[in-house]
Amino acid sequence: MSKKLSPRNVPVQQRAHRQRDKILKATSELLETVGVDELTTIRVAEAVGISVGTLYHYFPNKHAILHSLAENWIETVLQGLEDIGQRDLSNVAIKDFVVLITGVFEDLFIKHSPLLPLINAINTLPELNSLKVEFKQQLIKALAEIFKDLNICTSTLESERLSSVYWQLLQGLLLLYVDADPKSDKTLSDIKYLQYSLLERAKSDF
C-alpha cells in the first residue's frame, strides 16, 4: 500500500501557514544533520516544538513532508529555467549561456544547500517516484526550448535527449561543488568547461 503523501489539511489561516512552514524549515535543517534515512516525525516535531499529534495534523508521515519539500525545490528549479527562457537567447553565445545558467543554479544550490540529501533522494525514494517523473518531463521540455532558442539543435527528439544529459551533468557537478569545503574556483571553471564542451559538440553535430 502506498504511503499518503498529500498534507492532511491545506492551511487556511495565516497561523496554520506559519506552522506548516516551520515544519518544512525544521525538516530541511534536520536533513543536513541526520539525512533522509534517520529523519523521523518525532525528530521533526521536537525541532519545531510541537507534539507528534500536532505534526500529523499537517502531514501524515515523513514522506509527505519530504514530498512537499521536493515540490518546493522543483518549483524553484523550474522557475530558474523559466527566467532564463524568457530572455532573448537567439544571439547569445554558448559560453555566455553557460556562465548565465551556472550562475543561476550555483546560487540556488547554495541557497538551498540543506536540501542536498533530499535532492539526491528524489531519484531514489519510491515515495517520490511520481514526482520525479513529472519533474523530469517539465525540466526536459523547458531545457529543450532553451536549446532551440540558442540554435543548438532544432530536432525535438535530439533537444530532449541533450536536455536530459545536460541536466544530469549540471546538477551532479553542482551538487559536488556545493558540498565541497572549501569550494574551489577552479572546480567551478571546470564545471563550465564541461558544459561548454557538451553544448559546442551538440551544436557542431547539428
Side-chain angles (χ1 to χ4, degrees):
M1 182 180 297
S2 62
K3 293 182 175 67
K4 179 177 173 61
L5 297 177
S6 59
R8 287 193 184 279
N9 296 294
V10 178
V12 177
Q13 299 179 348
Q14 188 174 6
R15 180 182 176 187
H17 274 290
R18 287 199 299 267
Q19 190 72 284
R20 183 177 183 277
D21 289 343
K22 285 181 181 178
I23 293 171
L24 294 177
K25 184 175 185 294
T27 302
S28 69
E29 291 170 351
L30 282 170
L31 283 170
E32 194 172 25
T33 56
V34 305
V36 173
D37 293 339
E38 299 301 320
L39 181 74
T40 65
T41 51
I42 293 175
R43 279 180 161 165
V44 174
E46 288 176 347
V48 179
I50 59 177
S51 69
V52 176
T54 300
L55 185 145
Y56 286 154
H57 178 72
Y58 295 91
F59 297 97
N61 50 60
K62 88 168 187 178
H63 289 100
I65 306 175
L66 294 176
H67 193 276
S68 288
L69 280 174
E71 284 183 319
N72 290 346
W73 167 247
I74 287 170
E75 183 179 343
T76 298
V77 170
L78 294 176
Q79 184 60 56
L81 288 175
E82 182 178 340
D83 291 344
I84 292 172
Q86 287 177 346
R87 298 169 180 247
D88 181 4
L89 300 173
S90 57
N91 295 312
V92 174
I94 291 179
K95 183 177 180 180
D96 294 332
F97 167 74
V98 166
V99 171
L100 169 64
I101 194 169
T102 303
V104 168
F105 283 102
E106 177 196 1
D107 290 344
L108 289 180
F109 274 68
I110 290 175
K111 180 179 179 181
H112 297 276
S113 59
L115 293 179
L116 294 186
L118 175 61
I119 295 170
N120 285 320
I122 290 174
N123 292 320
T124 58
L125 282 178
E127 293 83 1
L128 301 182
N129 187 63
S130 61
L131 193 62
K132 177 189 73 173
V133 171
E134 182 181 354
F135 173 45
K136 185 177 180 180
Q137 292 173 343
Q138 293 177 287
L139 178 82
I140 287 177
K141 181 179 179 182
L143 271 175
E145 288 300 319
I146 288 173
F147 291 150
K148 286 183 180 180
D149 290 343
L150 286 165
N151 298 312
I152 291 177
C153 52
T154 56
S155 163
T156 299
L157 187 62
E158 177 58 19
S159 292
E160 291 178 350
R161 185 204 64 79
L162 177 62
S163 297
S164 180
V165 173
Y166 179 81
W167 179 252
Q168 292 302 318
L169 174 71
L170 178 59
Q171 176 179 259
L173 292 174
L174 282 178
L175 283 173
L176 290 173
Y177 170 75
V178 171
D179 198 39
D181 187 23
K183 295 175 179 57
S184 167
D185 290 340
K186 182 64 167 60
T187 300
L188 195 60
S189 178
D190 289 342
I191 290 172
K192 293 174 183 176
Y193 177 76
L194 289 170
Q195 293 176 71
Y196 177 77
S197 299
L198 174 65
L199 297 181
E200 270 291 339
R201 179 186 175 189
K203 187 168 186 176
S204 64
D205 286 347
F206 165 67

